[in-house]
Each structure stands twice: as structure tokens, then as C-alpha cells.
């Protein structure tokens, strides 16, 4: 099982980005999917989580006000739409998923490789 994140890049303050993360491999099912970020020198922090039936949780109000987490279960993909980006949003963004993997049906915690988001003029 692999998680492949994409969509990061350089964006100006006030701009928007849509991150994507697709799970692939031997998958029976996917439970919660989430986005984290890690700024240089800081610990990895949870941004948002979404359940398999689409219930979303945001870690704090400032993230919730500017971001939307969503998922496409048919594509095994989770998205994070971020708006009104600020320089302090600069970080490596990681996707995370709880996946029931083939062939044994074991539930595992999987991470994507990270995608860099840089907010700068």
C-alpha cells in the first residue's frame, strides 16, 4: 500500500492550493484519512481528518476557516483545499490514512511522502 501526495508548490500570500493524496496497492478499505503538516523546526501537526462517510474534523478554527478536506472513495483519494494562504502555512504537508490492507485484512497506519508548500511573494 502506498500514499502518493501531490499539489504542493510555491504560492503567493492570499493564494490557494489543492493538495491530493491517492492510496494504491492491495486495499480492502480505507477508514479515516487526514492531512498533517510539519514546518521546519516544528513537530508534525494534524490539520484535518475525514471519516469514510465524509465527516470532517479540523484541528483548529484558523485551519477550518481557510481549508476544506474532502475525499473520493471511488478513487481512494483525499484532498485538502487551502485558501488565503499565509507565509506561516509554509511546511511539508503529509497525508495519512488508516487502511485495511490485503491479503490479511490488517489495519495499518500509512503516510504519504510529503509535498512542500511554500507561501512567499
Amino acid at each position: 500500500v502506498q500514499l502518493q501526495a501531490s499539489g504542493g508548490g510555491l504560492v503567493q500570500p492570499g493564494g490557494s492550493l489543492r493538495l491530493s493524496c491517492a492510496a494504491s496497492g492491495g486495499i480492502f478499505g480505507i477508514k479515516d484519512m487526514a492531512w498533517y503538516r510539519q514546518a521546519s523546526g516544528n513537530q508534525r501537526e494534524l490539520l484535518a481528518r475525514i471519516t469514510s462517510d465524509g465527516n470532517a474534523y479540523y484541528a483548529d478554527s484558523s485551519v477550518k476557516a481557510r481549508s476544506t478536506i474532502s475525499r473520493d472513495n471511488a478513487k481512494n483519494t483525499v484532498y485538502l483545499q487551502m485558501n488565503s494562504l499565509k507565509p506561516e502555512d509554509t511546511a511539508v504537508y503529509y497525508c495519512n490514512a488508516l487502511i485495511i490492507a490485503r491479503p490479511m485484512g490488517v489495519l495499518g497506519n500509512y503516510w504519504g511522502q510529503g509535498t512542500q508548500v511554500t507561501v512567499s511573494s
Side-chain angles (χ1 to χ4, degrees):
V1 174
Q2 290 185 330
L3 292 177
Q4 181 69 44
S6 61
L10 175 64
V11 62
Q12 292 187 342
S16 298
L17 277 180
R18 189 192 195 206
L19 305 181
S20 301
C21 177
S24 62
I27 298 172
F28 273 128
I30 302 177
K31 293 185 174 292
D32 290 7
M33 304 183 84
W35 286 98
Y36 288 72
R37 70 182 177 189
Q38 187 170 17
S40 179
N42 291 353
Q43 291 186 335
R44 192 172 299 186
E45 61 176 351
L46 173 67
L47 293 176
R49 178 176 298 278
I50 186 167
T51 64
S52 57
D53 56 1
N55 292 315
Y57 164 79
Y58 296 89
D60 66 56
S61 58
S62 65
V63 172
K64 184 177 182 179
R66 300 185 293 121
S67 305
T68 302
I69 188 170
S70 60
R71 64 190 284 173
D72 184 334
N73 290 335
K75 296 181 179 179
N76 291 336
T77 299
V78 62
Y79 306 95
L80 184 68
Q81 174 71 41
M82 298 186 297
N83 304 315
S84 304
L85 285 162
K86 306 174 183 180
E88 50 264 42
D89 293 316
T90 295
V92 179
Y93 285 68
Y94 296 90
C95 55
N96 169 263
L98 297 176
I99 297 175
I100 303 171
R102 299 178 187 273
M104 302 300 292
V106 175
L107 180 66
N109 188 31
Y110 294 87
W111 291 91
Q113 85 284 7
T115 184
Q116 176 71 45
V117 172
T118 302
V119 184
S120 175
S121 55

